[in-house]
Each structure stands twice: as C-alpha cells, then as structure tokens.
Amino acid sequence: MNLTDISGTQNSDVNSPAGGSCGCCAPQQVTAAQPATEGTVSADYAVTGLTCGSCAGRVSSAIGALNGVENVQIALVPGGVSTVSVTSNQPLEASSVQDAVEKAGYQLTTA
C-alpha cells in the first residue's frame, strides 16, 4: 500500500536523512517539496516522536484524511522534531491537525 492510496491524499512524501532508516522500514527517498499551486494553502507543523518512515506514514495518513488536504510531506528527523508540510485547498484548523497527530500517537509542538 502506498500513502497515496489513502482516501483524500493526492501526494505524500517522507524525507529522511541519507542512510537514516531503522529496522522497520526501508531507506526513504529524499524528494523536493512541491510548490503550492494557486488556490492552495501551505502550512508547516513541528511534530515530535517520529523515529522512522513507518511513524511518518502514520502521521501522513492521519493528516491526509483531513478534509481538503492535497499533499503531506515530512522531513523526518528521527527522535527529534520533524517538519510536516501540508498543502490543502482551504486553511486547516490547528486543532484538527493537532487532533490528527495525537490520534496517530505523536505530539505537535511549537519548537
């Protein structure tokens, strides 16, 4: 299953440091973020607790299920603060993003 198979997610990428993988996932390909197109809104969120591509996939799936989300990209920092970039066709409520991240088992942070 690919992350883009999840209903409501058109594109999803996980970026991890070169050679940065763990035993539960294959090495991740680093991809450049796609620029937002006209009529879309982009926002970055800091998330803690991600350690591998599987963790990032859970967060991507949870956020990707939110209404209006078109793209989720994660710059994975295993054990640190990962940056989750979300492109949507409308502004997202911060509380909705926080709920999605927490339900996936991780924490949204301001750091």
Side-chain angles (χ1 to χ4, degrees), residues 52-75:
C52 66
S54 181
C55 298
R58 285 191 285 279
V59 169
S60 182
S61 295
I63 294 174
L66 296 175
N67 189 33
V69 172
E70 296 178 358
N71 183 18
V72 178
Q73 295 184 335
I74 299 178

Side-chain angles (χ1 to χ4, degrees), residues 76-93:
L76 180 62
V77 178
V81 179
S82 298
T83 301
V84 178
S85 300
V86 180
T87 303
S88 58
N89 60 18
Q90 61 190 9
L92 299 175
E93 294 289 331

Side-chain angles (χ1 to χ4, degrees), residues 1-16:
M1 180 169 133
N2 293 319
L3 294 176
T4 54
D5 293 336
I6 299 165
S7 177
T9 303
Q10 294 178 5
N11 185 17
S12 182
D13 295 310
V14 177
N15 298 324
S16 66

Side-chain angles (χ1 to χ4, degrees), residues 19-28 51-55 58 76 78:
S21 65
C22 66
C24 68
C25 60
Q28 302 295 314
T51 59
C52 66
S54 181
C55 298
R58 285 191 285 279
L76 180 62

